[in-house]
C-alpha cells in the first residue's frame, strides 16, 4: 500500500489566519516595479524580453524596431542559423524522420553527413535503454498522477546509476546529455503507463523496444496497447518534436537551464529543473489549456460550428465572462511573434491534411475560426495591432488525432525540448560566471521583540 502524505492544518482556525498572515507579507504590489524602474517579469514595457545573455543555439524573430516602435514582421525561427521551415521542408521532401538530425544540429552546430548521422543514430540507440529492473522499481511501482512530476523524479533517480554523475569533464557532459535525450521517450512512456495503471484502472501493457526506430516511432510503439501506428502518424509526431525542440534562450525553461547550469550543478539536476519549469500552465501546459478551452466552448455553445456563436464565446472570454475568466484566448498571441508563428504555420498545414483523412474537419475549422475571429476582435479592441496563432492552438488537435491523452501533451513537449535544453547547458557550462541578478528589498527595518511583547496583527492567532 502506497503511503500518502497528509498535508494541511488540523487546527483550521489557526490555519486560516496563518494563511492570511503569510499572504499579506508575501504579496508584492506591481506598483513597486515602476517606482524602482524595474522590468517586471524581465519584460520591457512593450512586452519584449529584457536582453540578459548571448547564445548561438537559436534565433527567434517576429518584429523589427524602428524609432523605438515595434514593426510586425512574419515570424522566423532558426536552429543554428538554419530556418526551421527549411529544415522541415527538406525532411518532407526526403520523406524522412528529422528529429534526430535536429538533435545533432542543435548540439553540434552543424548538419551531419550521411556517415555522421548513421553513427549518431547508433549512439542514440545504444543509450536508449534503462538500468536493469529500473522500469519496475523506479517508474511502474512508484507512479505519480502527473506524468511530468514522475519524469522529473525518474530523471533524478538516474543520477544514482551514473558513476560519473559529478564529472564535469566536457566529454562526459556530452555523453550525459546524449544519454538523457535518448532515454526521455522511455521515461515518458513508462511514466504514462504507470499513471494509467494505478490511477485510471487501465491494463498494464509493456512493450519491448524495437531496434532502428526513430524517437517518434518509439513513443507511439511504447504507449499504444497494440504497439501499432502508421508511417504518416509517426511523421506527424516527428514534426511536433522538431518544432518544439528549441526556441531560444529566453523562454522560461531554457533560461532556468542557463541559470542552474551556471551554478556548477550536475546535468540530471539541471534538466529536472527545466522539466519543473515546463510543467507550469503558463509555459509548457499552455497546449492543455487550449484543449480545455475548446472543450468548454463545445460544452457551453449550442452550435460550435456556427461562427457567430464562436465569436460570442470569444468576446465573453475577452470580457472575463467565460472559461477561466482570465481574459486570455489560449493559443493566440506570443511574446515575440506578431504576424505569424512559423511553428503554427507548419503544424496547421499538416493538421488540416490529417483532419481530412481522420474525419476531424469540424474540429480543424473550429480552430481556424478561433484564429480568424480572435484577430478581428483584437484589432477591433486595439486598431492596427497584430496577433497570430501560436504553436499551441493546433498542437492539441494533432495529439487528439494521434489518439494521445492530454496527460501526454506537455510530456511530449518536454521530450522534444530536451534537445534544446541540453544544447544550452553545453553552452552555459563553458562560461565560468554564475548568473546572479539582484532584487530590491522593500521590507522595513524592525527590532527583535521578546515573546511577551509581541502582538498579532490578526484578530486571535489561535494556537492549539
Amino acid at each position: 500500500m502506497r503511503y500518502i502524505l497528509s498535508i494541511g492544518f488540523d487546527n483550521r482556525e489557526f490555519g486560516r489566519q496563518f494563511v492570511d498572515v503569510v499572504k499579506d507579507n508575501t504579496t508584492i504590489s506591481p506598483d513597486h516595479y515602476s517606482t524602482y524602474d524595474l522590468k517586471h517579469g524581465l519584460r520591457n514595457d512593450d512586452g519584449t524580453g529584457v536582453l540578459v545573455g548571448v547564445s548561438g543555439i537559436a534565433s527567434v524573430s517576429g518584429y523589427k524596431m524602428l524609432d523605438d516602435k515595434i514593426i510586425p514582421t512574419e515570424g522566423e525561427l532558426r536552429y543554428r542559423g538554419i530556418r526551421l521551415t527549411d529544415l522541415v521542408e527538406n525532411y518532407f521532401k526526403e520523406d524522412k524522420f528529422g528529429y534526430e538530425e535536429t538533435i545533432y544540429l542543435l548540439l553540434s552546430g552543424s548538419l551531419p553527413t550521411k556517415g555522421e548521422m548513421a553513427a549518431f543514430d547508433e549512439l542514440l540507440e545504444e543509450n536508449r535503454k534503462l538500468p536493469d529492473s529500473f522500469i519496475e522499481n523506479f517508474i511502474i511501482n512508484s507512479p505519480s498522477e502527473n506524468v511530468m512530476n514522475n519524469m522529473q523524479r525518474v530523471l533524478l533517480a538516474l543520477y544514482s546509476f551514473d558513476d560519473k554523475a559529478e564529472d564535469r569533464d566536457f566529454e562526459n557532459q556530452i555523453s550525459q546529455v546524449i544519454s538523457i535525450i535518448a532515454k526521455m521517450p522511455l521515461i515518458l512512456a513508462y511514466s504514462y503507463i504507470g499513471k494509467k495503471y494505478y490511477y485510471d484502472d487501465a491494463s498494464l501493457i509493456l512493450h519491448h523496444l524495437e531496434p532502428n526506430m526513430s524517437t517518434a516511432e518509439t513513443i507511439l510503439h511504447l504507449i499504444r496497447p497494440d504497439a501499432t501506428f502508421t508511417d504518416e502518424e509517426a511523421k506527424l509526431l516527428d514534426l511536433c518534436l522538431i518544432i518544439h525542440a528549441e526556441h531560444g534562450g529566453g523562454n522560461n525553461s531554457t533560461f532556468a537551464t542557463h541559470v542552474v547550469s551556471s551554478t556548477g550543478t550536475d546535468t540530471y539536476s539541471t534538466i529536472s529543473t527545466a522539466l519543473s519549469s515546463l510543467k507550469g500552465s503558463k509555459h509548457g501546459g499552455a497546449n492543455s489549456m487550449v484543449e480545455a478551452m475548446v472543450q468548454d466552448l463545445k460544452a457551453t455553445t449550442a452550435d460550435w460550428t456556427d461562427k457567430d456563436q464562436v465569436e460570442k464565446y470569444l468576446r465573453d472570454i475577452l470580457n472575463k465572462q467565460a472559461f477561466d475568466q482570465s481574459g486570455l484566448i489560449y493559443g493566440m498571441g506570443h511574446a515575440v511573434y506578431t504576424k505569424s508563428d512559423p511553428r503554427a504555420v507548419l503544424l496547421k498545414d499538416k493538421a488540416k491534411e490529417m483532419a481530412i483523412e481522420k474525419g476531424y474537419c469540424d474540429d480543424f475549422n473550429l480552430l481556424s475560426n478561433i484564429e480568424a475571429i480572435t484577430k478581428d476582435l483584437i484589432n477591433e479592441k486595439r486598431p492596427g495591432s497584430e496577433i497570430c496563432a501560436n504553436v499551441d492552438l493546433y498542437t492539441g488537435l494533432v495529439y487528439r488525432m494521434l489518439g494521445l491523452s492530454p496527460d501526454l501533451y506537455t510530456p511530449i513537449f518536454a521530450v522534444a525540448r530536451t534537445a534544446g535544453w541540453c544544447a544550452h547547458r553545453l553552452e552555459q557550462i563553458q562560461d565560468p560566471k554564475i548568473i546572479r541578478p539582484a532584487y530590491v528589498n522593500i521590507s522595513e527595518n524592525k527590532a527583535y521583540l521578546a515573546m511577551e511583547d509581541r502582538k498579532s496583527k490578526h484578530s486571535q492567532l489561535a494556537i492549539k
Side-chain angles (χ1 to χ4, degrees), residues 6 42 58 67 125 128 152 218 235 237 252 259 267 275 296 310 324 327 355 373 389 392 406 416 432 440 446:
S6 177
L42 293 182
D67 298 328
E125 184 156 333
R128 190 160 284 162
Q152 289 174 259
T218 297
K235 293 278 176 54
L237 181 56
N252 195 283
V259 172
T267 306
L275 283 167
D296 182 71
V310 173
D324 62 355
I373 293 169
D392 295 315
V440 173
K446 302 173 186 176

Side-chain angles (χ1 to χ4, degrees), residues 142-280:
S142 301
S144 171
E145 195 167 6
N146 185 285
V147 177
M148 285 291 286
N149 171 272
N150 211 49
M151 290 173 69
Q152 289 174 259
R153 184 183 59 78
V154 170
L155 184 59
L156 288 172
L158 283 173
Y159 172 100
S160 300
F161 291 81
D162 184 350
D163 59 1
K164 293 185 177 180
E166 292 290 344
D167 185 345
R168 300 296 185 269
D169 176 75
F170 196 68
E171 181 178 340
N172 186 61
Q173 293 291 300
I174 294 176
S175 296
Q176 286 179 338
V177 300
I178 290 174
S179 173
I180 289 173
I181 290 170
K183 290 175 173 56
M184 285 297 281
L186 281 65
I187 294 173
L188 173 147
Y190 294 127
S191 294
Y192 170 68
I193 291 168
K195 184 267 179 185
K196 293 290 290 182
Y197 177 67
Y198 278 95
Y199 290 95
D200 301 338
D201 294 324
S203 298
L204 183 62
I205 302 174
L206 301 177
H207 300 301
H208 291 294
L209 285 171
E210 290 291 332
N212 303 317
M213 277 190 170
S214 68
T215 302
E217 290 173 304
T218 297
I219 292 172
L220 293 175
H221 168 76
L222 291 177
I223 65 172
R224 289 187 170 181
D226 61 2
T228 63
F229 52 87
T230 67
D231 183 68
E232 183 182 17
E233 288 175 325
K235 293 278 176 54
L236 183 55
L237 181 56
D238 182 65
L239 172 63
C240 292
L241 296 175
I242 295 166
I243 66 177
H244 284 97
E246 165 60 3
H247 208 240
N251 66 80
N252 195 283
S253 57
T254 305
F255 182 56
T257 299
H258 276 278
V259 172
V260 177
S261 291
S262 76
T263 69
T265 193
D266 66 277
T267 306
Y268 300 93
S269 297
T270 298
I271 304 305
S272 177
T273 298
L275 283 167
S276 178
S277 167
L278 194 72
K279 180 175 177 285

